[in-house]
Amino acid sequence: MFNDETGILVVDDSATTRNLLVKHLMDLGFKRFRHAANGEEAWKCLIAGKPVIGVIFCDWNMPDMGGLELLKKVRANERMKYIPFVMVTSERTPEKVREAVEAGVSNYIVKPFDQKVIKEKLERTYLTIIKKAA
């Protein structure tokens, strides 16, 4: 699976949610994190390229730039388009899920979440990457 040195970008306008997600990921062995409160901050981090981001966990609804817009920018960028992008959101309608899938989301976590769900989604995301590479 992803190794513990994988850089993870956690994007959510709620500091509480960011911290909870990071705690669960740390408990799974990850060590390298960047935080952003919205899509604009996340985009600046991604453009800078340091540290290298291996997975993005992103909320849908945020001020300035939401998660769906960030996802579309990431997928349109040649250097970033293959970064696994996991939407972590309270948006649960089939229409919203379909919209994210059509935009290229790698996986989808509905809030509230727990460590087990995060681990399962990371494992599925990793398996999808392996299948695409084969």
Side-chain angles (χ1 to χ4, degrees), residues 10-124:
V10 178
V11 188
D12 199 300
D13 56 327
S14 164
T16 302
T17 301
R18 287 194 310 270
N19 292 336
L20 179 62
L21 188 50
V22 167
K23 182 203 177 307
H24 288 320
L25 289 163
M26 287 176 72
D27 289 347
L28 292 171
F30 293 95
K31 302 182 229 176
R32 299 180 64 218
F33 301 95
R34 289 295 303 258
H35 302 252
N38 60 53
E40 283 185 11
E41 287 181 20
W43 184 247
K44 289 175 185 173
C45 175
L46 289 163
I47 290 296
K50 292 184 182 178
V52 174
I53 300 299
V55 181
I56 301 166
F57 285 88
C58 186
D59 187 19
W60 187 302
N61 297 304
M62 298 176 290
D64 302 320
M65 182 192 302
L68 188 65
E69 185 179 349
L70 178 63
L71 171 60
K72 289 176 180 179
K73 285 183 83 152
V74 167
R75 292 296 177 248
N77 183 286
E78 195 61 35
R79 180 174 61 87
M80 297 179 224
K81 68 183 179 181
Y82 297 110
I83 297 174
F85 195 111
V86 180
M87 194 70 76
V88 183
T89 180
S90 56
E91 295 289 353
R92 61 182 69 226
T93 65
E95 296 80 23
K96 292 291 188 182
V97 174
R98 187 173 25 261
E99 190 175 0
V101 168
E102 289 171 359
V105 77
S106 305
N107 224 311
Y108 203 93
I109 298 173
V110 177
K111 294 177 183 177
F113 55 83
D114 60 21
Q115 185 175 340
K116 181 181 174 198
V117 169
I118 294 167
K119 183 178 183 199
E120 289 171 359
K121 297 292 183 166
L122 272 173
E123 288 170 351
R124 286 185 194 161

